[in-house]
Amino acid sequence: MKMSSALIIIDMQNDFCHGGALAVKDGEKLVGPINDAQERFDTIILTQDWHPEEHSSFASNNSAEVYSNIEMDYGSQILWPDHCIQGSIGANFHKNLNTNNSNLILRKGCNPKIDSYSAFFENDKTTTTGLEGYLVKKKIKRLYLCGLAFDYCVFYSALDGINLGFDVFVFQDLTKAINLKNSEKLARKTMIEKGIKLINFI
Ligand code: VGL
Ligand code: ZN
């Protein structure tokens, strides 16, 4: 791929794979093809969901049901099972993911008060992760997204990417959805409406 493109691999971590705290069905099956996709790119970015134990997006910290919604200062928030706790095995990348070629590993969701689905902004939609600056300085114009989960972190990263003026492509065969309340369909529809291109790697 050209110098002006980047592959952004979202949250390929144990907790989103088989046996993990927030497992996405067949998530681990993406590892091999994502490793293959890396061979086509000069710039590779990995994101890592990286929450403190007291994170406000955990149902356990709100005495509430898993997958219920609460209102935060920044809007509605789904309450998740405890996952991707900083330094835990669940937060590690899947053991077969090739991490040798990555230029940047971006950790997100570190602020206990704000969740962060997108690789660009926390869920308050204003606190930046710094990724935009990194890509702009490297003159990257086109983003190719893959990883977990299609309807949360991949979706919100793709939306922010296009809103920031990048060309955004999602490898739909290198991502899998959690699919709460039709979220997979809604994510796909919104992406298409916004001009995000859903393409296949294989
Ligand atoms: C994710 C829910 C909570 C994701 C992360 O990677 O899609 N989803 N934290
Ligand atoms: Zn998370």
Side-chain angles (χ1 to χ4, degrees):
M1 281 283 176
K2 295 206 197 72
M3 297 290 284
S4 54
S5 299
L7 179 66
I8 305 182
I9 303 171
I10 305 285
D11 299 0
M12 286 303 296
Q13 295 163 260
N14 291 328
D15 269 343
F16 297 118
C17 293
H18 182 74
L22 182 41
V24 183
K25 190 171 180 293
D26 295 334
E28 63 286 348
K29 295 193 178 152
L30 303 174
V31 173
I34 286 176
N35 288 342
D36 294 342
Q38 294 193 43
E39 289 172 22
R40 292 205 205 154
F41 290 85
D42 296 317
T43 301
I44 299 168
I45 295 158
L46 306 181
T47 71
Q48 196 169 20
D49 211 34
W50 197 251
H51 300 308
E53 257 171 31
E54 68 276 20
H55 200 259
S56 56
S57 78
F58 295 168
S60 64
N61 291 326
N62 291 276
S63 324
E65 294 264 336
V66 168
Y67 306 119
S68 63
N69 276 274
I70 59 161
E71 275 310 305
M72 300 281 204
D73 295 343
Y74 54 81
S76 180
Q77 170 71 46
I78 301 173
L79 294 175
W80 301 105
D82 294 15
H83 65 279
C84 297
I85 293 173
Q86 297 172 354
S88 69
I89 290 169
N92 286 351
F93 290 116
H94 187 283
K95 66 178 187 320
N96 295 334
L97 183 73
N98 184 352
T99 61
N100 295 331
N101 302 327
S102 44
N103 301 78
L104 175 72
I105 298 179
L106 181 102
R107 288 174 169 168
K108 61 183 181 61
C110 310
N111 181 339
K113 297 202 163 55
I114 317 178
D115 206 2
S116 189
Y117 296 149
S118 161
F120 290 98
F121 295 103
E122 298 189 4
N123 287 12
D124 63 1
K125 308 210 182 302
T126 33
T127 310
T128 178
T129 63
L131 181 59
E132 180 192 7
Y134 177 87
L135 295 169
V136 168
K137 291 284 184 195
K138 287 178 73 77
K139 299 194 164 43
I140 303 281
K141 310 264 184 256
R142 271 182 300 280
L143 311 180
Y144 290 79
L145 270 60
C146 62
L148 300 168
F150 173 75
D151 40 353
Y152 289 94
C153 291
V154 174
F155 173 51
Y156 285 98
S157 300
L159 273 188
D160 283 343
I162 202 125
N163 286 336
L164 290 167
F166 297 98
D167 280 337
V168 181
F169 301 82
V170 173
F171 286 126
Q172 56 186 348
D173 54 346
L174 301 184
T175 178
K176 300 269 181 204
I178 295 176
N179 205 17
L180 294 178
K181 296 188 210 145
N182 220 21
S183 54
E184 180 173 10
K185 246 192 173 157
L186 196 63
R188 181 169 290 112
K189 182 170 172 275
T190 308
M191 285 184 187
I192 292 165
E193 281 167 7
K194 295 277 178 183
I196 294 159
K197 291 165 199 91
L198 295 165
I199 59 171
N200 289 312
F201 172 67
I202 296 162

